[in-house]
Amino acid sequence: MSSSQIPVLESYESQHLEAAFQALNADVARRAAGLRTSEDREQFRLYWLGRKQGRLKLISDVWLKSAPAEARKSLGQHFNQLKQQIEQALEADPATLAPSTTPTDAIDITLPGIRPTLGAEHPLIRTMHEIVRVFEHMGYSVGVGPEVETDYYNFEALNFPPNHPARDTQDTLVVANQQNKPLRDRLLLRTHTSPVQIRTMERQPPPVRIVIPGKVHRNDAADATHSPIFHQVEGLCVDENITFSDLKGTLDHAMKELFGSAVRTRFFPSFFPFTEPSADVQISCIFCGGKGCRKCKHSGWIELLGCGMVNPAVFKFVRGKQPAYDPKKISGFAFGMGVDRIAMMKYGISDIGLLYSGDMRFLEQFA
Ligand code: PHE
């Protein structure tokens, strides 16, 4: 037996000594309970009391070596007591030893089994996987990034300058006590998955085709359609000759895959600092087919995601690390969609809070 198998004594304080010896007593008792034959006993004796390699000697050597004077007496008593326990086990009449299988250990194979409860994918995670799969089929890879971000990645490198009013559209939860750091290094809970666009481009030259599912946070008051925590799937495609038609075609196909081939899409001018031009994408109402109903506020359309062509200003931020992002040679598009809203539409969930309540009665419906 090597000394590495000697149990570690946390300290020589009495509660640690008690615990350590209790473990040894239990080990002796457990091994003693398995003694059947005279060979078993001889093995047991050698294991514990062997003169050179006996466990008792090995342990006492190590523990006594560094023991402070005041702990020696108590250690000695404990080792004596352990030795007595071992000797008693050796003297015990084999006939009185426990039989190998006591009735309480026996398995009653006539009893009904215990059925393990199966977990199920949470509707949000399931929706996120569905969205990601649609883009994987188009050759996209999948990336992730940190939920606690710096101001630089969440805003500045996405072309939201400090104090720019566009920041107000994403009411941000910031980490406290950061005032003594430069603004760009201050930590916050990411308000969108777009910072992972920057992180991805810093890591690899074009071409890029990536989707990024993830959790985001905003300081929004919770109601039936808002939650301070929600989920997005971000997309980024950068290559030579990427045009707005590619963006439209990609998203139109993705919406048909997600909601059925009858769904139509339309693109409205919008604004995001990191895309230019930017658009909001609407799909024809999946509930009424576009005729107009309560769900689509009688417009026939439902707004689902934001997108646009990557703003050359964003490429400028990554060129320090990856010079190949030259806006004269490459172009790209990006999009971001809210997973919660899509999950709510797909599964007919009317209150976003249900997705975060952990209520089994709700979750069991998806099992
Ligand atoms: N990040 C934007 C938001 O959360 C969505 C978006 C992503 C828009 C990518 C354009 C391109 O509102």
Side-chain angles (χ1 to χ4, degrees), residues 170 191-192 194 197 218 232 234 272 274-275 306-308 334-336:
Q170 305 196 356
T191 56
H192 51 175
S194 302
Q197 287 187 32
R218 291 190 196 174
Q232 293 186 331
E234 187 85 12
F272 302 99
F274 43 96
T275 47
C307 65
F335 56 85

Side-chain angles (χ1 to χ4, degrees), residues 29-249:
R30 191 174 55 77
R31 288 169 189 277
L35 300 180
R36 304 279 171 271
T37 62
S38 51
E39 285 106 288
D40 289 349
R41 290 157 163 267
E42 182 54 13
Q43 289 257 328
F44 177 84
R45 191 188 65 77
L46 277 173
Y47 179 80
W48 288 107
L49 304 178
R51 199 163 300 162
K52 287 213 182 104
Q53 290 298 306
R55 198 160 162 72
L56 199 60
K57 176 170 181 343
L58 292 177
I59 297 175
S60 62
D61 280 356
V62 173
W63 287 6
L64 279 166
K65 197 166 58 194
S66 44
E70 63 275 17
R72 285 176 173 271
K73 186 170 166 210
S74 159
L75 266 174
Q77 285 170 350
H78 274 111
F79 277 118
N80 275 338
Q81 186 266 329
L82 193 63
K83 192 168 173 201
Q84 275 175 19
Q85 188 195 1
I86 296 163
E87 283 167 346
Q88 274 167 17
L90 282 166
E91 281 158 22
D93 178 356
T96 66
L97 293 174
S100 61
T101 312
T102 55
T104 49
D105 290 338
I107 295 170
D108 182 348
I109 58 165
T110 64
L111 284 174
I114 299 166
R115 200 181 285 275
T117 40
L118 274 186
E121 222 169 18
H122 190 281
L124 265 177
I125 302 297
R126 186 191 292 187
T127 307
M128 205 138 86
H129 285 161
E130 273 176 46
I131 299 169
V132 165
R133 201 169 307 125
V134 168
F135 287 95
E136 276 178 335
H137 286 162
M138 288 192 266
Y140 281 65
S141 51
V142 185
V144 287
E147 281 169 43
V148 179
E149 247 320 345
T150 59
D151 188 276
Y152 179 76
Y153 283 106
N154 197 79
F155 290 123
E156 195 178 333
L158 288 163
N159 200 30
F160 292 81
N163 300 316
H164 194 279
R167 290 184 174 220
D168 296 349
T169 61
Q170 305 196 356
D171 198 353
T172 310
L173 292 158
V174 299
V175 175
N177 301 326
Q178 307 267 302
Q179 292 84 338
N180 50 5
K181 287 188 191 168
L183 178 66
R184 57 165 52 194
D185 296 335
R186 292 188 201 162
L187 299 173
L188 44 79
L189 301 186
R190 68 177 177 192
T191 56
H192 51 175
T193 40
S194 302
V196 194
Q197 287 187 32
I198 307 292
R199 291 182 175 277
T200 305
M201 289 191 278
E202 282 184 350
R203 258 201 322 271
Q204 67 175 91
V208 169
R209 280 173 182 75
I210 193 166
V211 277
I212 303 130
K215 197 180 284 174
V216 301
H217 300 79
R218 291 190 196 174
N219 188 17
D220 290 336
D223 63 24
T225 55
H226 293 86
S227 160
I229 173 171
F230 59 104
H231 295 76
Q232 293 186 331
V233 173
E234 187 85 12
L236 175 68
C237 166
V238 183
D239 205 340
E240 287 169 12
N241 302 317
I242 299 291
T243 67
F244 201 90
S245 315
D246 296 316
L247 168 61
K248 286 183 84 171

